[in-house]
Amino acid sequence: MNIAIIGTGYVGLTTGVCLASKGHQVTCVDLDQEKINMINSGTPPIFEEGMKELLEEVISAGLLIATIDSENAIKHAEIIFLCVGTPSKDDGSINLEYLKKAANTIAEKAGNHKIVVIKSTVVPGTTMNAVKPILDASGINHGLCMNPEFLKEGAAIKDFLEGDRVVLGVTDKETETIMRELYKDFPQQLFITNPTTAEMIKYANNSLLATKISFANELGNLCKKLGIDSYEVMDGVGLDKRLSRQFLNCGAGFGGSCFPKDVKAIISKGLEEGEGMKLLKTVIEVNNEQPVKMIKLLEKHANPVNKKIGILGLAFKQGTDDVREAPSIAIINELLKMNSDITVYDPEAMSNAKKIFSDKIKYAESARECANKSDAILILTGWDEFRKPELYSNKIVIDGRRIKEAEQNAKIYEGICW
Ligand code: NAD
């Protein structure tokens, strides 16, 4: 099938590359010319395991091109995916500016019949109340599908190609048939529903995962006080098939472009509807406290004022270069207020961190250099390369990611919940 992808970030690029790998003809559209040039030259603008190899493969097979020319891409596509960002506004609700702009572009340029698929995460009601009226007003004959994305950064390709299920919220039978055809070579079970339910499934999913993490953090904080190993507790809990062990690791808290934004957005939607959203408000509150705990632990062992502090790990988790809402950002900002002399290292996220902190902090070329230049080290991402005891010789180490190897050689070692 001929497919256009509007918005070629983490989700759009993964969607494009994976659909092309199944033989579909894909045109990726973005406003950012630099991204487009990189993609066309076979270099992914983001770090994702397996992305470079698959991108090169589909480009050389002539199955994927990238362009800023939305008109041409839209005109020739049978299916148009909307994968633009839906960032948080100050009140926690989502900003639909990019989505509406992209929908307007389709309305102006589509011409004949199109299937429009919303993959961006949007609160329940958005597809039918914000996107559909734009397309209806243009008079183009269209079908609509809300197809939320469940990929995890760090495992995006694998999750897209063989995740647990594909949710399709469709407006009509014809759209359902075409979407079934699109996904026919994927092994996942298809779950067919209406667009508003599909939107809610995505929020329910991410809110529940974020709740598990905050639950693990709250109990982890208590376990530490009681001298109990919280990881062992969750190993025991995770054997219960109703619960699973995943997302029960305590630590410095969740971040990234999804959990904080999505939980805040559904809280905001709930409040708009007169619901208190008490549980999810607490999930955010517990999460916000974990980075503060890291600073308090540091202060317990060393005064951060004018001290050389090393940050190992900037990305919100290992396997990605994404620093959006990462605990590292809140912690570095706090340390900057204390005039700490900060050196950071992350194997993939350095250039994204430079966009935020520029010359306010120092950037090491390796974990070793970062450690050597620091008196105290905070571990904020669980990259495997941080699991080397020699990095921590004679250092004060505050661990937010259970890198227990750090304990062996450290002068002082303390974990956030252990
Ligand atoms: P992103 O910021 O990485 O990418 C969005 C891209 O859209 C950018 O490259 C931007 O330049 C482009 N864009 C914006 N307006 C455009 C327009 N009018 N025409 C063409 N391009 C345009 O965002 P992302 O992380 O890929 O997330 C996209 C959506 O998917 C969000 O709603 C997000 O919540 C959701 N989502 C993200 C993830 C994830 O792990 N990143 C997972 C599931 C769902």
Side-chain angles (χ1 to χ4, degrees), residues 7 9-11 30 35 84 86 121 149 153 257-258 261 324:
Y10 287 85
V11 167
D30 205 282
K35 257 186 202 179
V84 296
T86 46
T121 303
E149 183 48 57
E153 286 181 20
S257 67
C258 291
K261 167 174 88 75
R324 291 178 283 187

Side-chain angles (χ1 to χ4, degrees), residues 334-345:
E334 207 46 46
L335 291 173
L336 283 171
K337 283 188 209 153
M338 299 182 189
N339 283 328
S340 301
D341 178 356
I342 305 166
T343 303
V344 302
Y345 174 72

Side-chain angles (χ1 to χ4, degrees), residues 81-250:
F81 276 85
L82 291 179
C83 302
V84 296
T86 46
S88 288
K89 292 201 273 195
D90 287 346
D91 64 357
S93 64
I94 53 168
N95 180 351
L96 291 178
E97 178 193 337
Y98 305 105
L99 189 77
K100 286 184 178 167
K101 252 190 205 155
N104 272 310
T105 309
I106 297 171
E108 283 161 21
K109 297 172 180 170
N112 52 355
H113 183 267
K114 304 287 168 195
I115 303 289
V116 178
V117 183
I118 287 93
K119 223 178 211 319
S120 301
T121 303
V122 290
V123 292
T126 306
T127 300
M128 298 309 279
N129 302 330
V131 179
K132 191 171 187 299
I134 295 173
L135 300 176
D136 284 348
S138 73
I140 60 159
N141 184 5
H142 67 274
L144 260 178
C145 175
M146 204 288 142
N147 172 210
E149 183 48 57
F150 298 98
L151 65 80
K152 296 181 294 298
E153 286 181 20
I157 300 275
K158 191 171 182 320
D159 284 350
F160 196 100
L161 292 175
E162 48 191 89
D164 295 330
R165 74 324 202 177
V166 171
V167 173
L168 300 173
V170 290
T171 47
D172 58 279
K173 233 13 207 172
E174 190 192 344
T175 305
E176 179 187 330
T177 307
I178 295 170
M179 292 305 290
R180 278 184 184 276
E181 175 68 17
L182 178 74
Y183 279 110
K184 79 173 177 357
D185 293 330
F186 287 77
Q188 294 95 321
Q189 179 187 337
L190 299 184
F191 185 86
I192 310 293
T193 183
N194 61 62
T196 311
T197 305
E199 288 163 341
M200 193 52 151
I201 289 171
K202 173 67 187 173
Y203 281 97
N205 207 92
N206 272 4
S207 299
L208 190 50
L209 292 173
T211 301
K212 282 185 85 173
I213 297 174
S214 278
F215 172 81
N217 283 334
E218 183 162 280
L219 286 200
N221 293 335
L222 176 61
C223 280
K224 180 174 176 174
K225 293 220 163 119
L226 299 176
I228 299 168
D229 182 343
S230 54
Y231 274 58
E232 199 182 339
V233 169
M234 293 309 169
D235 287 346
V237 171
L239 291 173
D240 187 326
K241 289 194 182 68
R242 295 168 301 176
L243 297 170
S244 114
R245 175 67 178 84
Q246 292 187 55
F247 291 82
L248 286 177
N249 284 342
C250 49

